[in-house]
Amino acid sequence: MSTAVDDELWSAIGDPIRRTMIDLLLAGGPGTATSLSERLPVTRQAVAKHLAVLDRVGLVHATPAGRERHFQVDEAQLARAVAQLSAVGASWDARLRRIKRIAEAIQRNLDNENTGGD
């Protein structure tokens, strides 16, 4: 599984309404733009646009059902997003550890200079 960061995917997830939609779909199973709009502070049209963004990046998939489309979360794509987030987190953890070591070394050198030691 690739953990290269997918900017389009993270741009889609970056919106709080879309994250809430994913949460609702995960908790309640497949939903429509209409059913989701009843639980969100946006119009059905706005929900449909958000679903189109999530569909484009593969986080949700639609199944036609009469005049509606039922959307559900693609768990494999969600797992890919989680793996990316974990990889980014691990990378930042490593960077922060290096920064801490450098800062501690600088502080030790300053302490040694101030006490006259080497």
Side-chain angles (χ1 to χ4, degrees), residues 51-68:
L51 286 168
V53 170
L54 293 172
D55 190 33
R56 186 177 68 246
V57 298
L59 280 168
V60 299
H61 293 292
T63 305
R67 293 173 46 151
E68 291 275 5

PDB file of all heavy atoms in Angstrom, residues 51-68:
ATOM      1  N   LEU A  51     -20.666  15.358  -2.018  1.00  0.00           N
ATOM      2  CA  LEU A  51     -20.595  13.930  -2.362  1.00  0.00           C
ATOM      3  C   LEU A  51     -19.859  13.720  -3.682  1.00  0.00           C
ATOM      4  O   LEU A  51     -19.104  12.748  -3.827  1.00  0.00           O
ATOM      5  CB  LEU A  51     -21.999  13.323  -2.433  1.00  0.00           C
ATOM      6  CG  LEU A  51     -22.675  13.086  -1.087  1.00  0.00           C
ATOM      7  CD1 LEU A  51     -24.157  12.765  -1.278  1.00  0.00           C
ATOM      8  CD2 LEU A  51     -21.979  11.976  -0.306  1.00  0.00           C
ATOM      9  N   ALA A  52     -20.046  14.632  -4.625  1.00  0.00           N
ATOM     10  CA  ALA A  52     -19.339  14.525  -5.907  1.00  0.00           C
ATOM     11  C   ALA A  52     -17.830  14.632  -5.699  1.00  0.00           C
ATOM     12  O   ALA A  52     -17.046  13.902  -6.328  1.00  0.00           O
ATOM     13  CB  ALA A  52     -19.837  15.601  -6.870  1.00  0.00           C
ATOM     14  N   VAL A  53     -17.403  15.512  -4.793  1.00  0.00           N
ATOM     15  CA  VAL A  53     -15.972  15.650  -4.489  1.00  0.00           C
ATOM     16  C   VAL A  53     -15.446  14.357  -3.864  1.00  0.00           C
ATOM     17  O   VAL A  53     -14.403  13.832  -4.268  1.00  0.00           O
ATOM     18  CB  VAL A  53     -15.720  16.859  -3.556  1.00  0.00           C
ATOM     19  CG1 VAL A  53     -14.279  16.870  -3.050  1.00  0.00           C
ATOM     20  CG2 VAL A  53     -16.052  18.160  -4.265  1.00  0.00           C
ATOM     21  N   LEU A  54     -16.185  13.838  -2.888  1.00  0.00           N
ATOM     22  CA  LEU A  54     -15.764  12.595  -2.224  1.00  0.00           C
ATOM     23  C   LEU A  54     -15.748  11.425  -3.198  1.00  0.00           C
ATOM     24  O   LEU A  54     -14.875  10.555  -3.123  1.00  0.00           O
ATOM     25  CB  LEU A  54     -16.680  12.299  -1.039  1.00  0.00           C
ATOM     26  CG  LEU A  54     -16.589  13.282   0.133  1.00  0.00           C
ATOM     27  CD1 LEU A  54     -17.686  13.000   1.152  1.00  0.00           C
ATOM     28  CD2 LEU A  54     -15.221  13.234   0.778  1.00  0.00           C
ATOM     29  N   ASP A  55     -16.696  11.407  -4.123  1.00  0.00           N
ATOM     30  CA  ASP A  55     -16.758  10.347  -5.135  1.00  0.00           C
ATOM     31  C   ASP A  55     -15.570  10.448  -6.092  1.00  0.00           C
ATOM     32  O   ASP A  55     -14.953   9.445  -6.442  1.00  0.00           O
ATOM     33  CB  ASP A  55     -18.081  10.439  -5.892  1.00  0.00           C
ATOM     34  CG  ASP A  55     -18.335   9.248  -6.796  1.00  0.00           C
ATOM     35  OD1 ASP A  55     -17.913   8.127  -6.456  1.00  0.00           O
ATOM     36  OD2 ASP A  55     -18.968   9.439  -7.846  1.00  0.00           O
ATOM     37  N   ARG A  56     -15.225  11.682  -6.487  1.00  0.00           N
ATOM     38  CA  ARG A  56     -14.124  11.889  -7.428  1.00  0.00           C
ATOM     39  C   ARG A  56     -12.804  11.356  -6.875  1.00  0.00           C
ATOM     40  O   ARG A  56     -11.989  10.809  -7.605  1.00  0.00           O
ATOM     41  CB  ARG A  56     -14.003  13.367  -7.783  1.00  0.00           C
ATOM     42  CG  ARG A  56     -12.969  13.633  -8.870  1.00  0.00           C
ATOM     43  CD  ARG A  56     -12.877  15.087  -9.295  1.00  0.00           C
ATOM     44  NE  ARG A  56     -12.344  15.916  -8.223  1.00  0.00           N
ATOM     45  CZ  ARG A  56     -13.017  16.872  -7.586  1.00  0.00           C
ATOM     46  NH1 ARG A  56     -14.255  17.142  -7.914  1.00  0.00           N
ATOM     47  NH2 ARG A  56     -12.454  17.562  -6.618  1.00  0.00           N
ATOM     48  N   VAL A  57     -12.580  11.490  -5.552  1.00  0.00           N
ATOM     49  CA  VAL A  57     -11.327  11.007  -4.956  1.00  0.00           C
ATOM     50  C   VAL A  57     -11.442   9.564  -4.476  1.00  0.00           C
ATOM     51  O   VAL A  57     -10.486   9.014  -3.938  1.00  0.00           O
ATOM     52  CB  VAL A  57     -10.819  11.918  -3.820  1.00  0.00           C
ATOM     53  CG1 VAL A  57     -10.523  13.312  -4.348  1.00  0.00           C
ATOM     54  CG2 VAL A  57     -11.765  11.944  -2.648  1.00  0.00           C
ATOM     55  N   GLY A  58     -12.627   8.971  -4.658  1.00  0.00           N
ATOM     56  CA  GLY A  58     -12.798   7.556  -4.338  1.00  0.00           C
ATOM     57  C   GLY A  58     -13.151   7.252  -2.895  1.00  0.00           C
ATOM     58  O   GLY A  58     -13.166   6.083  -2.506  1.00  0.00           O
ATOM     59  N   LEU A  59     -13.449   8.270  -2.087  1.00  0.00           N
ATOM     60  CA  LEU A  59     -13.792   8.002  -0.685  1.00  0.00           C
ATOM     61  C   LEU A  59     -15.202   7.457  -0.523  1.00  0.00           C
ATOM     62  O   LEU A  59     -15.495   6.790   0.463  1.00  0.00           O
ATOM     63  CB  LEU A  59     -13.622   9.264   0.165  1.00  0.00           C
ATOM     64  CG  LEU A  59     -12.186   9.549   0.562  1.00  0.00           C
ATOM     65  CD1 LEU A  59     -12.060  10.947   1.134  1.00  0.00           C
ATOM     66  CD2 LEU A  59     -11.695   8.520   1.561  1.00  0.00           C
ATOM     67  N   VAL A  60     -16.076   7.771  -1.477  1.00  0.00           N
ATOM     68  CA  VAL A  60     -17.425   7.203  -1.476  1.00  0.00           C
ATOM     69  C   VAL A  60     -17.727   6.689  -2.874  1.00  0.00           C
ATOM     70  O   VAL A  60     -17.111   7.109  -3.851  1.00  0.00           O
ATOM     71  CB  VAL A  60     -18.519   8.226  -1.045  1.00  0.00           C
ATOM     72  CG1 VAL A  60     -18.281   8.731   0.360  1.00  0.00           C
ATOM     73  CG2 VAL A  60     -18.635   9.371  -2.022  1.00  0.00           C
ATOM     74  N   HIS A  61     -18.671   5.759  -2.928  1.00  0.00           N
ATOM     75  CA  HIS A  61     -19.160   5.243  -4.208  1.00  0.00           C
ATOM     76  C   HIS A  61     -20.673   5.260  -4.164  1.00  0.00           C
ATOM     77  O   HIS A  61     -21.280   5.024  -3.117  1.00  0.00           O
ATOM     78  CB  HIS A  61     -18.653   3.820  -4.454  1.00  0.00           C
ATOM     79  CG  HIS A  61     -17.175   3.762  -4.663  1.00  0.00           C
ATOM     80  ND1 HIS A  61     -16.549   4.291  -5.769  1.00  0.00           N
ATOM     81  CD2 HIS A  61     -16.183   3.270  -3.888  1.00  0.00           C
ATOM     82  CE1 HIS A  61     -15.247   4.122  -5.667  1.00  0.00           C
ATOM     83  NE2 HIS A  61     -14.988   3.495  -4.525  1.00  0.00           N
ATOM     84  N   ALA A  62     -21.254   5.527  -5.327  1.00  0.00           N
ATOM     85  CA  ALA A  62     -22.712   5.619  -5.416  1.00  0.00           C
ATOM     86  C   ALA A  62     -23.295   4.412  -6.125  1.00  0.00           C
ATOM     87  O   ALA A  62     -22.708   3.887  -7.067  1.00  0.00           O
ATOM     88  CB  ALA A  62     -23.100   6.883  -6.169  1.00  0.00           C
ATOM     89  N   THR A  63     -24.462   4.011  -5.646  1.00  0.00           N
ATOM     90  CA  THR A  63     -25.244   2.954  -6.281  1.00  0.00           C
ATOM     91  C   THR A  63     -26.602   3.551  -6.615  1.00  0.00           C
ATOM     92  O   THR A  63     -27.295   4.047  -5.724  1.00  0.00           O
ATOM     93  CB  THR A  63     -25.439   1.763  -5.317  1.00  0.00           C
ATOM     94  OG1 THR A  63     -24.153   1.321  -4.876  1.00  0.00           O
ATOM     95  CG2 THR A  63     -26.186   0.635  -5.997  1.00  0.00           C
ATOM     96  N   PRO A  64     -26.973   3.536  -7.909  1.00  0.00           N
ATOM     97  CA  PRO A  64     -28.284   4.084  -8.277  1.00  0.00           C
ATOM     98  C   PRO A  64     -29.410   3.272  -7.643  1.00  0.00           C
ATOM     99  O   PRO A  64     -29.352   2.044  -7.569  1.00  0.00           O
ATOM    100  CB  PRO A  64     -28.327   3.957  -9.800  1.00  0.00           C
ATOM    101  CG  PRO A  64     -26.926   3.704 -10.228  1.00  0.00           C
ATOM    102  CD  PRO A  64     -26.235   3.064  -9.074  1.00  0.00           C
ATOM    103  N   ALA A  65     -30.432   3.993  -7.157  1.00  0.00           N
ATOM    104  CA  ALA A  65     -31.621   3.359  -6.577  1.00  0.00           C
ATOM    105  C   ALA A  65     -32.815   4.251  -6.923  1.00  0.00           C
ATOM    106  O   ALA A  65     -33.106   5.211  -6.206  1.00  0.00           O
ATOM    107  CB  ALA A  65     -31.479   3.196  -5.072  1.00  0.00           C
ATOM    108  N   GLY A  66     -33.453   3.955  -8.033  1.00  0.00           N
ATOM    109  CA  GLY A  66     -34.559   4.788  -8.485  1.00  0.00           C
ATOM    110  C   GLY A  66     -34.041   6.163  -8.856  1.00  0.00           C
ATOM    111  O   GLY A  66     -33.088   6.289  -9.613  1.00  0.00           O
ATOM    112  N   ARG A  67     -34.668   7.187  -8.297  1.00  0.00           N
ATOM    113  CA  ARG A  67     -34.265   8.564  -8.607  1.00  0.00           C
ATOM    114  C   ARG A  67     -33.110   9.041  -7.736  1.00  0.00           C
ATOM    115  O   ARG A  67     -32.569  10.121  -7.958  1.00  0.00           O
ATOM    116  CB  ARG A  67     -35.464   9.488  -8.433  1.00  0.00           C
ATOM    117  CG  ARG A  67     -36.541   9.231  -9.450  1.00  0.00           C
ATOM    118  CD  ARG A  67     -37.793  10.011  -9.188  1.00  0.00           C
ATOM    119  NE  ARG A  67     -37.514  11.408  -8.869  1.00  0.00           N
ATOM    120  CZ  ARG A  67     -38.330  12.400  -9.132  1.00  0.00           C
ATOM    121  NH1 ARG A  67     -39.485  12.160  -9.711  1.00  0.00           N
ATOM    122  NH2 ARG A  67     -38.019  13.637  -8.796  1.00  0.00           N
ATOM    123  N   GLU A  68     -32.755   8.274  -6.755  1.00  0.00           N
ATOM    124  CA  GLU A  68     -31.679   8.652  -5.830  1.00  0.00           C
ATOM    125  C   GLU A  68     -30.422   7.831  -6.100  1.00  0.00           C
ATOM    126  O   GLU A  68     -30.459   6.836  -6.822  1.00  0.00           O
ATOM    127  CB  GLU A  68     -32.121   8.407  -4.379  1.00  0.00           C
ATOM    128  CG  GLU A  68     -33.208   9.324  -3.890  1.00  0.00           C
ATOM    129  CD  GLU A  68     -32.670  10.655  -3.357  1.00  0.00           C
ATOM    130  OE1 GLU A  68     -31.448  10.907  -3.453  1.00  0.00           O
ATOM    131  OE2 GLU A  68     -33.475  11.424  -2.839  1.00  0.00           O
TER     132      GLU A  68
END
